[in-house]
Amino acid sequence: MDEEMFFTIVGFKNYHGLKPFKVGGLLKLIKDKVNAYDDEAIAVEMRYAGKVGYVGNSTNTVFRGTMSAGRLYDKIADEGYAQIKFIGQNSAIGKILSKEEVDILKEDPDCDFYYI
């Protein structure tokens, strides 16, 4: 993955709010292939919290400089990994992790990387 890919996390108010989010926190992205509202939906999960939201997929929910779920959908496998990079008062932005970044995190004994 040559370019950094950032995305906006939305829908967290329907789950746990921003409470489980912390900069550097690990995320699992899962294509939600049975989503009745969005054919390109990507769910966002965190350890201990489960589903915490979705990747934004409309002009009203995607921050400038971040990618929509539609743009990310074909760039990630059915499951992918990301890390929280920014948290605002009412928002969070994550960064897709490359395979190399995931491999480095898997070797870090202090990393809480439970997905792999």
Side-chain angles (χ1 to χ4, degrees):
M1 188 177 322
D2 295 337
E3 67 176 298
E4 291 187 328
M5 295 188 290
F6 293 91
F7 60 92
T8 306
I9 302 166
V10 301
F12 50 83
K13 292 178 184 177
N14 297 322
Y15 299 96
H16 310 286
L18 286 172
K19 188 175 182 177
F21 290 77
K22 67 178 183 175
V23 172
L26 296 172
L27 305 168
K28 185 174 187 178
L29 305 179
I30 303 168
K31 291 181 179 178
D32 186 351
K33 296 180 179 185
V34 295
N35 189 295
Y37 303 101
D38 186 349
D39 292 338
E40 299 168 322
I42 302 173
V44 179
E45 292 186 356
M46 292 181 75
R47 184 175 191 178
Y48 304 120
K51 190 181 294 183
V52 294
Y54 280 86
V55 175
N57 203 21
S58 79
T59 56
N60 295 329
T61 60
V62 176
F63 287 151
R64 175 171 276 169
T66 66
M67 298 177 80
S68 67
R71 288 183 56 210
L72 282 176
Y73 201 82
D74 293 331
K75 295 182 183 338
I76 64 171
D78 287 345
E79 295 182 353
Y81 304 95
Q83 198 165 32
I84 299 169
K85 291 297 184 180
F86 306 99
I87 302 172
Q89 197 168 16
N90 296 309
S91 61
I93 294 175
K95 177 187 170 283
I96 302 292
L97 295 175
S98 68
K99 181 187 179 321
E100 293 79 18
E101 290 170 312
V102 170
D103 290 342
I104 290 168
L105 286 171
K106 287 185 340 188
E107 299 299 320
D108 182 351
D110 296 324
C111 182
D112 191 18
F113 213 98
Y114 78 104
Y115 294 111
I116 299 174

